[in-house]
Amino acid sequence: QVQLVESGGGLVQAGGSLRLSCSASGRALSTYGMGWFRQAPGKEREFVAGISWTGDTIYANSVKGRFFISRDNAKNTVYLQMNSLKPEDTAVYYCAKGVGGSYYYSKSQYDYWGQGTQVTVSS
């Protein structure tokens, strides 16, 4: 069993930055891909960023160049650095553990999810 806990969300003005953290317990994540998703009110949960076990990364077009995913295997933690935030980035952000070592776009390729952390960007 894996428990994922996100933190670092909050209220920020447009143009600001936040760093989200996802801490894991119950299993070492070093050999698994990890991902970040987000869900805005009334919308489906969407892919934001993914990182493979080797550190390769991939991003949604909407956040490319502004958001950066990273991992610290010694701390069993994954991060999402969010810069140049926009009001449309407002959502609950979730981290998830991949079923294997790659990065994945699809929600179906993730088997454990955190409870989410709220990010609100004011204009």
Side-chain angles (χ1 to χ4, degrees):
Q1 196 77 355
V2 177
Q3 292 79 42
L4 301 174
V5 178
E6 302 95 337
S7 60
L11 173 64
V12 64
Q13 288 189 332
S17 298
L18 283 175
R19 188 176 82 152
L20 305 184
S21 299
C22 173
S23 297
S25 61
R27 184 180 297 179
L29 299 181
S30 57
T31 59
Y32 292 97
M34 297 293 294
W36 285 95
F37 288 74
R38 67 186 180 187
Q39 187 167 18
K43 295 189 176 182
E44 297 220 356
R45 191 171 299 188
E46 65 175 4
F47 172 80
V48 174
I51 186 167
S52 72
W53 77 280
T54 57
D56 294 326
T57 58
I58 195 162
Y59 299 93
N61 287 335
S62 59
V63 306
K64 199 172 294 183
R66 300 188 298 122
F67 290 13
F68 301 93
I69 187 172
S70 61
R71 63 192 304 159
D72 185 336
N73 290 332
K75 295 182 178 180
N76 225 23
T77 299
V78 178
Y79 304 97
L80 185 68
Q81 177 67 43
M82 306 187 296
N83 302 324
S84 302
L85 282 160
K86 304 175 181 180
E88 51 264 42
D89 295 318
T90 295
V92 177
Y93 283 71
Y94 300 88
C95 73
K97 171 191 160 297
V99 297
S102 185
Y103 47 65
Y104 310 96
Y105 287 105
S106 172
K107 296 188 292 291
S108 65
Q109 296 298 308
Y110 293 86
D111 53 5
Y112 288 94
W113 295 80
Q115 83 290 348
T117 185
Q118 176 70 46
V119 172
T120 302
V121 184
S122 64
S123 58

